[in-house]
Amino acid sequence: MRLTKSTDLALRTIMRLAVTDAEPCTARQVAGEMQVPYSHLAKVAARLQHLGLIETRRGRGGGLTLTATGRTASVGQLVRDLEGVGDVVDCEGDMPCPLRQGCRLRMALRRAQEAFLTSLDPLTVDDLVASPTGPVLLGLVGRAPGLSP
């Protein structure tokens, strides 16, 4: 299974917010640290806010902060929420597969996908930012893109 770029960025954004606790940071700051376009990060942040994982505040002293729900969320459930439901392969697409009526591969891929997500279920965002990841993320904080630490 391959995660979309948006899901990857959402997970990295949540991890980034987790290492600085309740200290808000701007979406532009996070985009710069993650070396992604601001517009992409803004869309991801809106989705994370909709899911109740982050809070956003405008204006002076505003920014992005991780919610308590975001901190303790299951990584498996986050991936399910961000990726949505769907098969690993598209058997019903523009040119439906002629084997779709009795295909055993489709069910095997579904089981593999669920096993992948189930293996992520016990992990929380807090688990993801434990050492050695947390210190690496802290090294990114406030660093302008393209500059050495």
Side-chain angles (χ1 to χ4, degrees):
M1 180 174 171
R2 184 176 186 97
L3 300 180
T4 63
K5 288 182 181 182
S6 291
T7 297
D8 175 44
L9 181 56
L11 292 170
R12 289 188 291 141
T13 300
I14 289 173
M15 291 168 62
R16 162 54 181 90
L17 297 176
V19 296
T20 54
D21 260 342
E23 182 183 315
C25 57
T26 67
R28 287 198 190 281
Q29 179 184 355
V30 174
E33 293 166 0
M34 296 294 164
Q35 299 180 2
V36 297
Y38 166 76
S39 59
H40 191 187
L41 189 109
K43 289 176 189 174
V44 166
R47 177 81 172 124
L48 293 172
Q49 181 184 21
H50 177 75
L51 292 171
L53 303 170
I54 69 170
E55 291 179 353
T56 61
R57 270 186 276 157
R58 292 181 174 263
R60 187 176 203 114
L64 309 175
T65 54
L66 190 62
T67 65
T69 300
R71 181 169 294 288
T72 60
S74 158
V75 175
Q77 190 57 52
L78 286 175
V79 172
R80 285 180 187 91
D81 292 343
L82 294 165
E83 289 287 318
V85 293
D87 289 327
V88 175
V89 293
D90 185 11
C91 301
E92 305 292 336
D94 293 337
M95 295 184 63
C97 176
L99 303 175
R100 70 188 180 280
Q101 298 303 324
C103 183
R104 297 181 76 187
L105 176 62
R106 187 177 190 179
M107 289 307 298
L109 290 173
R110 271 192 196 143
R111 285 191 303 274
Q113 180 180 21
E114 189 51 39
F116 169 74
L117 294 169
T118 299
S119 73
L120 296 174
D121 282 339
L123 293 172
T124 66
V125 173
D126 275 342
D127 294 331
L128 294 180
V129 297
S131 189
T133 306
V136 172
L137 283 165
L138 284 172
L140 296 175
V141 174
R143 198 171 81 192
L147 297 178
S148 299

